[in-house]
Amino acid sequence: MNVTKQGEGLVSVLTVQIAQADYTEKVNNVLKDYRKKATVKGFRPGTVPMGMVKQMYGKYATVEEVNKLVSEALQNYFKENKLHVLGEPLPNEGQKEVNWDKDTDFEFLFDVAVAPEINVELSKKNKADYYKITVDDKLIDEHVEGYCGRYGKQEDVETIEGTEFVAGPLKCVGAETCTERGSLLLTRMKNEKELAKFKAAKKGDTVTFNPKKAFEDEEETKLFTGAKADNAAAMEADYEFTIEALKRYTKAEVNQELFDKIFGKDAIKSEADFRARIKSDMEANFERNSDYKFLADFRKKLLETTAIELPEEFLKRWLIEANKENEKITPEQIENEFPLFMEDLRWQLISGKFVKDNNIQVSPDEIKEAAKEYTRFQLAQYGMLNAEDKMVEQWSAEILKNRDEVNRLYEMEENKKLIAFFKETIKLNEQEVSLEKFNEMVSEK
C-alpha cells in the first residue's frame, strides 16, 4: 500500500496503490466468517466449500476490503503529513476503470484540496468599535412595569372601569339566539359609545349593546355571538348581556411579595435592591448582545482584510457530489448559495487559526453548563426565574441527547472564548449607546 502526491497548487493528485498482498489476508478472513454463516442448500452451516464461498462472495469482499484500505491510506497520509483537507477527496478524471473480476493490483487517483496557510496576526494595533448599551431609569421602569404586569392577578370586582373580563347569559334581541352565554375582555371593544354602556353598569346588571358596532370586526362579532356571516339578522342585532362574572386584572405591587416571587424568598429586600438587580441582569444580557455584534463586525473586517485563495471549482464539484442524493439541494441552488458557503469557509479557516494558535478549547463540562444556562434562559421566558436545580438538570440532559444541539452549544461556547480573546488582544473603541440606537445599528446589517 503506497500513497504518492503530484502537484503543489491548491488541488493536488494523490495516487493510492493497493497490492494483492495488502488485502488477501483480510479478504480471506472475511470469507472464512461468511463460510461460518452461509446458508447453502445441501450443506450444513460451516461446511460450504471455500471455493464456493469465494465464487459467491469473493468479489464483494475484495471491493469492500480494498475500499477500506484506500480510505485508511488517505487518512494516514493526511495525518502523517499534517494536511488540513477541504471537503473530501474526489476521483480524478484520469482514473482508469477498475476491473474487479481480473485486476489483482489496484491504483486509485484522487483530487485533494488542502487548506492554505492563513497569515493573520492580531495586536493592539488592531482596532474595533465596541458598543455598550446603557441601562437608564426609563429601561428599568419599563422592566419593573413588565414584572408587575406578569405577576399580577385577576380579582372579582363589582364595578367596571373598561379593562375588565365579563361573562354571563347572552340573548339576541329580535333574532334567534346563537349562543346562550358570552364572555369578553372589554379592552377588545373599539367603539367608545358601546363600551360606555358597560362602564355605566355593575355586576348583576343587564347591558343591551350591539356587538358589530362594538368590535368593528366581523370575525370578533362571529366569535362573540356564535353567528355565521350569512346570518345577517344575528350579526346586525342588539344583544342583552347579563354581567354574571366580573373580573379585573390587577398588576402586582412593588413589594416583598413580588421580590420573592421573582428572585426567591428574601433574595431582594428593598425596592432599591430590586432596581439594582434588574439593572445588573439587563447589563449582563446587553453585554451578550454587544459581544455578538462586536464579533459580527470584527468577523467582517477580518474577512475583508485577510487574503485567502481557495479552489472554488473543486469545492463546487465537492458540494454537488456530497449532495447528489439530496433531492432538495440542486446544482443551481449550490451555485446561488456558493458565495455564502465561501464566506463561511473562509471564516472557519481564520477563526480556526486563532483557536489552534491560542489553544482555545471547550470541555465537556463547559458544554453541560452551557446546556443548563440555556435551560434557565428558556424557563425564564415563561416566568420561571428560580427553577429548581432538579428541573434544570433534567431539561438540560434532554438537550444534550440531541447532537445538533450539542454542536450548537459547542459553537456558542467557542465563540464566547474567541470574543474574549479578541477583546483582550486588540484595542477596543468603546462607545455607549442607547438600546434604541443599538437596535437600529443591528437592523441596518
Side-chain angles (χ1 to χ4, degrees):
M1 187 165 62
N2 185 45
V3 180
T4 56
K5 176 175 174 287
Q6 296 86 41
E8 297 296 335
L10 293 175
V11 180
S12 300
V13 178
L14 292 187
T15 302
V16 182
Q17 296 172 319
I18 305 292
Q20 186 175 15
D22 295 327
Y23 63 85
T24 298
E25 184 178 353
K26 294 178 182 293
V27 170
N28 287 337
N29 288 336
V30 169
L31 294 177
K32 288 177 183 177
D33 190 53
Y34 283 170
R35 186 187 184 210
K36 295 176 183 177
K37 302 174 183 177
T39 302
V40 179
K41 188 175 181 180
F43 297 94
R44 296 191 310 277
T47 64
V48 181
M50 181 57 75
M52 185 178 291
V53 173
K54 286 183 178 180
Q55 186 178 7
M56 294 172 64
Y57 303 110
K59 180 179 176 181
Y60 170 80
T62 299
V63 172
E64 185 176 38
E65 293 305 314
V66 168
N67 282 332
K68 286 181 182 179
L69 286 172
V70 170
S71 178
E72 179 184 326
L74 288 171
Q75 293 305 316
N76 287 340
Y77 184 86
F78 299 151
K79 185 176 181 180
E80 291 168 5
N81 292 275
K82 299 180 180 179
L83 298 181
H84 179 185
V85 176
L86 298 176
E88 297 287 342
L90 295 175
N92 180 269
E93 61 181 8
Q95 174 68 52
K96 295 179 181 179
E97 185 176 353
V98 177
N99 188 330
W100 294 101
D101 293 313
K102 295 182 179 180
D103 294 346
T104 55
D105 293 340
F106 303 95
E107 184 174 89
F108 300 93
L109 278 65
F110 295 95
D111 293 333
V112 177
V114 178
E117 288 292 325
I118 307 300
N119 297 312
V120 56
E121 300 292 337
L122 296 179
S123 69
K124 292 299 180 182
K125 293 180 180 179
N126 300 94
K127 300 177 182 179
D129 292 330
Y130 186 88
Y131 299 98
K132 297 181 69 174
I133 304 170
T134 56
V135 180
D136 55 22
D137 287 340
K138 181 183 176 182
L139 277 177
I140 297 173
D141 289 342
E142 290 174 357
H143 223 66
V144 170
E145 188 71 10
Y147 275 133
C148 290
R150 192 185 310 168
Y151 287 90
K153 57 186 177 181
Q154 282 192 336
E155 297 179 319
D156 290 323
V157 292
E158 298 296 324
T159 59
I160 296 175
E161 295 176 353
T163 61
E164 292 75 16
F165 169 83
V166 295
L170 186 67
K171 181 180 180 182
C172 185
V173 179
E176 184 179 347
T177 299
C178 297
T179 182
E180 296 181 355
R181 292 187 65 82
S183 63
L184 68 98
L185 188 63
L186 292 179
T187 53
R188 303 290 295 177
M189 298 180 71
K190 305 302 181 185
N191 186 293
E192 286 295 331
K193 186 175 180 180
E194 295 299 310
L195 179 59
K197 297 175 181 180
F198 281 87
K199 288 182 177 180
K202 61 183 183 300
K203 187 175 182 179
D205 288 352
T206 298
V207 177
T208 302
F209 80 113
N210 188 287
K212 185 173 183 180
K213 293 179 182 178
F215 299 124
E216 298 178 355
D217 181 90
E218 187 176 276
E219 291 301 317
E220 290 273 11
T221 304
K222 286 193 295 184
L223 183 64
F224 176 75
T225 63
K228 295 183 179 179
D230 58 0
N231 188 346
M235 289 288 287
E236 300 283 346
D238 287 342
Y239 282 75
E240 293 178 351
F241 188 175
T242 301
I243 304 172
E244 191 175 82
L246 177 57
K247 295 180 179 291
R248 181 183 302 141
Y249 188 81
T250 305
K251 292 183 178 180
E253 295 183 9
V254 179
N255 54 25
Q256 191 62 48
E257 182 181 0
L258 177 64
F259 306 155
D260 291 347
K261 284 181 179 178
I262 299 171
F263 299 111
K265 187 169 177 58
D266 294 333
I268 301 293
K269 295 187 177 181
S270 70
E271 183 174 352
D273 289 345
F274 180 50
R275 294 177 67 87
R277 172 64 181 270
I278 288 174
K279 183 177 182 180
S280 65
D281 287 351
M282 292 180 74
E283 286 175 339
N285 287 330
F286 288 162
E287 184 178 8
R288 284 192 284 269
N289 296 342
S290 297
D291 279 351
Y292 281 102
K293 174 168 174 51
F294 161 73
L295 179 61
D297 293 345
F298 196 56
R299 176 185 190 267
K300 182 179 179 181
K301 181 179 290 188
L302 286 172
L303 286 170
E304 290 173 347
T305 57
T306 307
I308 303 176
E309 188 179 4
L310 293 171
E312 295 192 12
E313 291 306 315
F314 173 91
L315 291 169
K316 285 181 184 178
R317 180 181 158 208
W318 168 67
L319 285 171
I320 292 171
E321 183 68 22
N323 291 285
K324 66 181 180 181
E325 303 297 330
N326 190 337
E327 296 179 356
K328 296 180 180 179
I329 301 178
T330 64
E332 292 76 20
Q333 184 178 353
I334 290 173
E335 184 69 35
N336 290 335
E337 297 179 2
F338 191 69
L340 287 177
F341 167 80
M342 290 296 288
E343 182 178 299
D344 286 342
L345 177 57
R346 291 177 65 231
W347 175 245
Q348 288 176 26
L349 295 172
I350 294 170
S351 61
K353 175 177 173 58
F354 292 124
V355 168
K356 180 181 178 181
D357 290 352
N358 297 279
N359 197 30
I360 295 175
Q361 299 180 10
V362 179
S363 70
D365 286 341
E366 287 172 322
I367 295 295
K368 290 179 181 178
E369 284 305 312
K372 291 179 184 178
E373 181 180 345
Y374 178 70
T375 298
R376 292 189 186 97
F377 173 79
Q378 291 291 94
L379 293 174
Q381 302 306 298
Y382 296 95
M384 301 175 65
L385 294 170
N386 296 290
E388 294 181 358
D389 290 342
K390 184 178 180 181
M391 177 184 291
V392 173
E393 289 278 357
Q394 290 175 340
W395 283 37
S396 61
E398 290 301 313
I399 291 174
L400 293 173
K401 292 178 182 178
N402 186 317
R403 181 171 293 277
D404 290 338
E405 284 295 315
V406 171
N407 290 338
R408 182 185 65 81
L409 290 171
Y410 184 93
E411 182 179 358
M412 183 175 70
E413 290 304 300
E414 186 175 81
N415 279 341
K416 285 182 182 179
K417 296 192 174 190
L418 266 177
I419 291 168
F421 166 73
F422 291 147
K423 288 168 71 175
E424 291 173 1
T425 306
I426 70 172
K427 183 177 178 58
L428 297 182
N429 176 28
E430 293 190 356
Q431 302 178 47
E432 290 193 350
V433 295
S434 67
L435 178 60
E436 182 180 8
K437 178 64 177 176
F438 183 85
N439 288 337
E440 286 178 6
M441 290 190 294
V442 171
S443 65
E444 290 172 358
K445 295 296 182 182

